[in-house]
Structures are given as structure tokens and as C-alpha cells.
Amino acid sequence: MANYGEEAEDLAKIGGALVINMGTVTPDGIKNYLQSLKAYNSAGGPVLLDPVGAGATSIRREAVKTLLNGGYFDVIKGNENELTTILGQTGPQQKGVDSSNSSTSAQDKARIAKKLAERERNIVLLTGATDYLSDGQCTYAISNGSHFLSKITGSGCTLGTTIASFLAVHKDDKLLAALAGVLVFEIASENAAKRDDVKGPGSFVPAFLDELYAITKRSKDGDWEWLVAARVEVVDV
């Protein structure tokens, strides 16, 4: 959770990945983001951008432009409003950090992810009820995840850090790493939602943490049965 850019050079040497989350946008914050981005780019460490609320204010729109001009992001993860803003397309006014109701078709959402991935030459994840993941050539629709994820604070931010951890250990195939991160996160949420002890968002959170741990342990032990629950399709766009 380091947010001081002077630390980034040392941290980048350790390995791991960098997540730049625009939850709070200030001049000092942008300076630290850019310094960290430069350090991880120089060290060859993967970087994920979570442009939280990118379309909400003019300050955030300019901040996104500054960051994109300041270095390379291996993955950009955002909702439809955020990614549409980054593309420079006109969309509904974002009223905060959360996504607005969308009337965009599934094909058009897939095109947004693909077009941005082509332009930035990276991996793009458009999140929603169905997620769209693209590297500009191959685009996937992922239909996993519990509705409770939209009822708790920080689920999108946590997904970003999960994906980044997968990027850190599987740099050779960033699309596969991102897909694996999404599936672990969202299948764990489904498993948690099915539990008898989960009555609502409050009891969902600890159950979700337990199920993330359970999937990690099962995978470590060579048990991949949980992957049967994956609902992934290739989208032709």
C-alpha cells in the first residue's frame, strides 16, 4: 500500500506488480503515480491502472491523460464509463466512482475493450455484470461473479490487486494471467454467496475471503475442479 513515489525504485527491484488506483486524485498523488510508473517500467515490472471515476470530473479526465502519457500500463481495468472516457468517446456523465446504468450492447462493450487494448497495446478489462477482457486480438466475455460484489465497497479495487498479483508471477502471458485472476476472484465470490452462513453483504465479505483462500489452497494441492464453474466465451468483434 505504498503511495510515496520515492519508494518505488526500491520496491520495483523486489518484484511484484504496481497498481495505480485513482481513488484519490491530488497533484501530489499524480506526481507519486508518475514516479512509481517510471520506476516499474524501468524495472520491467507489470503495472495495472484502475482509473476510478475517470469520467466523473474534468480533473480526473486530465489525470488519466497525464498518466497514460507518463508510461506504459500492462493492464487497464475499469467499468464502461471509465474506459469510454479513456477512449475519448462520449458516454453518460459519470456521477461518482461507480458505473451508471448502461444500455450498451454486449458487442459494443466488447468493442470498447478491444479498441482500447489495440490503441494502448496492452490488456483491457471492462467490468460489469459480464466482463470483457481483450488484448486487441482475442476478446473474452466472462459471466462469473456474485451480485454481492456490487453491494460491498472496494470489490473493484480488490479485483485489480488480484489481477496484478497474477501478472507478477506470469509475465509471459498477460492475457492468461488477467483471465486467471478474474476467474479466481469471481468464482470465489460465487462460492461464498452459496454458503448457508451468508445472509447479506456483511456476512458475504468474510465468507468471500475464506473462499479465496480455499481456491488458492485447492490449486496449490493440484485440485482444479473449481474451474468447472468458469463461464468464458470468445467474442467475435
Side-chain angles (χ1 to χ4, degrees):
M1 294 294 291
N3 57 7
Y4 183 38
E6 293 291 341
E7 293 184 294
E9 185 175 354
D10 288 337
L11 292 173
K13 294 174 183 176
I14 298 173
L18 172 68
V19 176
I20 293 181
N21 182 300
M22 283 179 38
T24 302
V25 177
T26 65
D28 283 344
I30 296 299
K31 178 182 176 182
N32 286 316
Y33 294 157
L34 291 172
Q35 190 171 359
S36 300
L37 176 60
K38 181 179 178 180
Y40 274 78
N41 281 174
S42 296
V47 185
L48 182 145
L49 173 63
D50 193 343
V52 178
T57 66
S58 59
I59 295 296
R60 287 179 180 271
R61 290 191 287 273
E62 288 303 314
V64 168
K65 292 178 183 178
T66 299
L67 290 173
L68 290 174
N69 289 330
Y72 177 74
F73 293 93
D74 299 87
V75 176
I76 299 175
K77 179 205 77 71
N79 61 42
E80 180 187 342
N81 291 334
E82 292 160 351
L83 298 191
T84 298
T85 296
I86 294 176
L87 270 176
Q89 297 179 355
T90 302
Q93 173 64 41
Q94 193 167 359
K95 298 179 180 179
V97 299
D98 294 322
S99 59
S100 303
N101 292 331
S102 173
S103 60
T104 307
S105 70
Q107 281 288 102
D108 284 342
K109 289 179 182 179
R111 289 190 186 98
I112 291 170
K114 179 181 180 181
K115 186 174 181 180
L116 184 56
E118 287 177 333
R119 192 188 79 181
E120 298 298 323
R121 299 181 180 181
N122 64 2
I123 309 299
V124 170
L125 175 65
L126 188 156
T127 59
T130 298
D131 304 313
Y132 296 92
L133 179 69
S134 181
D135 64 356
Q137 296 182 337
C138 184
T139 302
Y140 296 114
I142 308 165
S143 302
N144 289 100
S146 166
H147 72 284
F148 281 127
L149 290 174
S150 66
K151 306 298 182 183
I152 60 174
T153 301
S155 60
C157 301
T158 311
L159 173 59
T161 57
T162 300
I163 294 170
S165 69
F166 277 75
L167 290 170
V169 298
H170 200 66
K171 299 177 183 179
D172 293 337
D173 192 336
K174 290 181 282 190
L175 181 63
L176 179 60
L179 177 60
V182 173
L183 288 176
V184 165
F185 190 88
E186 296 190 345
I187 292 174
S189 76
E190 292 176 349
N191 291 346
K194 295 174 185 175
R195 288 172 41 160
D196 292 337
D197 58 333
V198 172
K199 307 300 181 182
S203 51
F204 168 77
V205 173
F208 179 40
L209 294 176
D210 284 347
E211 293 301 329
L212 283 169
Y213 172 78
I215 284 181
T216 302
K217 188 175 186 303
R218 290 176 64 182
S219 300
K220 185 178 180 180
D221 293 339
D223 178 3
W224 300 98
E225 188 66 24
W226 61 270
L227 264 176
V228 173
R231 297 190 295 275
V232 181
E233 297 180 355
V234 176
V235 183
D236 185 13
V237 289

